[in-house]
Amino acid sequence: MSAYDKVMAARDTGKLTSVDYINALFGDSFIELHGDRGFADDKAVVGGVGMLNNIPVTVIGLEKGRNTKERMERNFGAAHPEGYRKALRLMKQAEKFHRPVLCFVDTSGAFCGIAAEERGQGHAIATNLMEMMALKTPVLSVFIGEGGSGGAIALAVADEVWMMENAVYSVISPEGCASILWKDSSKAAEAAECLKMTAKDLFDLGVVERILREPVAGDQKMFESLKLLICRTFEKNLAVEPERLAQLRYNRFRKIGQKK
């Protein structure tokens, strides 16, 4: 598959969403929590607490929805500032109780409407980056579809970042990049190759630690394997002294882009 084929696969409306992953991994143990305690509850961000085997976990996902009605309710996965503030509230709560944090990322980007800007979209994202970098509890982020710009990295400042094989992660969409560089959005496929946005590209560059096989609905064997991988990662990181864990996370990001 070409890079742009991967982009199309990441946008496929038949893909599993964050809610699907949460249901498959946490089942009835998941309790959703709502609101940023300041403005509203953003339905583009789903968050709460659940049990992963015997580990209590705070789980947060950017949710696009699975049909037209859900997608409109979820704002197509484009979060408002209150969504990112809700996510941060849940992360700080997890830090207080030393619960690990699991994030699922699937968004074309943060909502760029006037209302979002008036309520401090840029500041909300920047605050998440700063706070997550110093969070003294394990954080794992999994890209399950699109990972667009600041809207994605606001939930991806983690100890490890994993990607599904058909997920993408980039500072801009290939159409947007082509429009800026060549004034021609039809060159999106060429831009996608240049952006190095596929899971393999990002693994080779050291931006992500693991590439996962794409699951389908009902693929219980895959989800059991994924649950085991996540639990082992959290058990390993829970054993690390909190201050040391935050420093290792900081070092991880400082090394990105350095020549090996």
Side-chain angles (χ1 to χ4, degrees):
M1 293 174 70
S2 69
Y4 198 61
D5 288 335
K6 291 284 187 179
V7 173
M8 292 296 101
R11 294 172 178 170
D12 186 352
T13 56
K15 281 176 67 70
L16 299 183
T17 69
S18 292
V19 166
D20 293 320
Y21 280 86
I22 291 169
N23 289 338
L25 292 171
F26 294 90
D28 293 337
S29 74
F30 177 69
I31 300 172
E32 187 174 356
L33 302 174
H34 298 273
D36 69 338
R37 301 297 184 267
F39 182 76
D41 181 42
D42 186 352
K43 292 186 177 181
V45 178
V46 177
V49 181
M51 294 296 294
L52 201 64
N53 290 343
N54 61 340
I55 303 174
V57 175
T58 291
V59 56
I60 302 163
L62 288 160
E63 172 64 25
K64 285 184 174 180
R66 290 166 288 191
N67 54 51
T68 302
K69 182 180 178 182
E70 283 187 12
R71 284 175 175 255
M72 291 179 69
E73 289 177 349
R74 304 286 189 180
N75 204 35
F76 298 85
H80 289 76
E82 52 269 24
Y84 293 111
R85 291 181 183 124
K86 173 168 70 172
L88 182 59
R89 177 176 75 83
L90 296 179
M91 288 184 229
K92 297 299 285 185
Q93 181 192 78
E95 181 182 50
K96 178 179 179 180
F97 294 103
H98 202 47
R99 284 195 301 262
V101 177
L102 174 62
C103 297
F104 292 108
V105 180
D106 185 15
T107 181
S108 59
F111 187 60
C112 56
I114 293 174
E117 296 299 330
E118 288 176 341
R119 294 199 299 275
Q121 184 71 285
H123 185 269
I125 291 171
T127 300
N128 275 32
L129 306 188
M130 179 181 69
E131 294 285 354
M132 288 184 76
M133 191 66 76
L135 208 65
K136 295 178 179 62
T137 199
V139 184
L140 171 64
S141 293
V142 183
F143 282 71
I144 61 173
E146 284 188 280
S149 193
I153 199 171
L155 289 184
V157 181
D159 307 309
E160 292 187 25
V161 176
W162 300 352
M163 290 182 74
M164 294 297 160
E165 58 188 343
N166 291 330
V168 293
Y169 184 18
S170 175
V171 69
I172 192 172
S173 70
E175 294 85 0
C177 178
S179 296
I180 292 170
L181 291 183
W182 300 297
K183 312 299 182 189
D184 184 359
S185 62
S186 68
K187 293 187 176 182
E190 185 178 345
E193 295 290 346
C194 296
L195 285 167
K196 301 297 181 186
M197 61 195 302
T198 69
K200 183 181 184 306
D201 289 330
L202 294 166
F203 180 81
D204 291 342
L205 291 168
V207 176
V208 304
E209 279 77 21
R210 189 184 291 270
I211 300 173
L212 303 167
R213 179 173 65 82
E214 197 84 27
V216 295
D219 190 353
Q220 199 56 41
K221 186 175 180 180
M222 164 58 185
F223 281 111
E224 287 300 322
S225 296
L226 180 58
K227 185 185 293 188
L228 184 60
L229 277 173
I230 294 170
C231 286
R232 285 176 175 172
T233 300
F234 282 152
E235 287 168 352
K236 175 188 70 175
N237 289 334
L238 282 167
V240 179
E241 197 271 329
E243 291 285 350
R244 174 65 177 161
L245 186 67
Q247 185 62 51
L248 289 171
R249 189 182 309 132
Y250 177 81
N251 293 344
R252 174 190 181 275
F253 279 86
R254 291 291 292 176
K255 288 190 294 185
I256 290 175
Q258 292 182 7
K259 291 183 179 180
K260 295 182 179 179

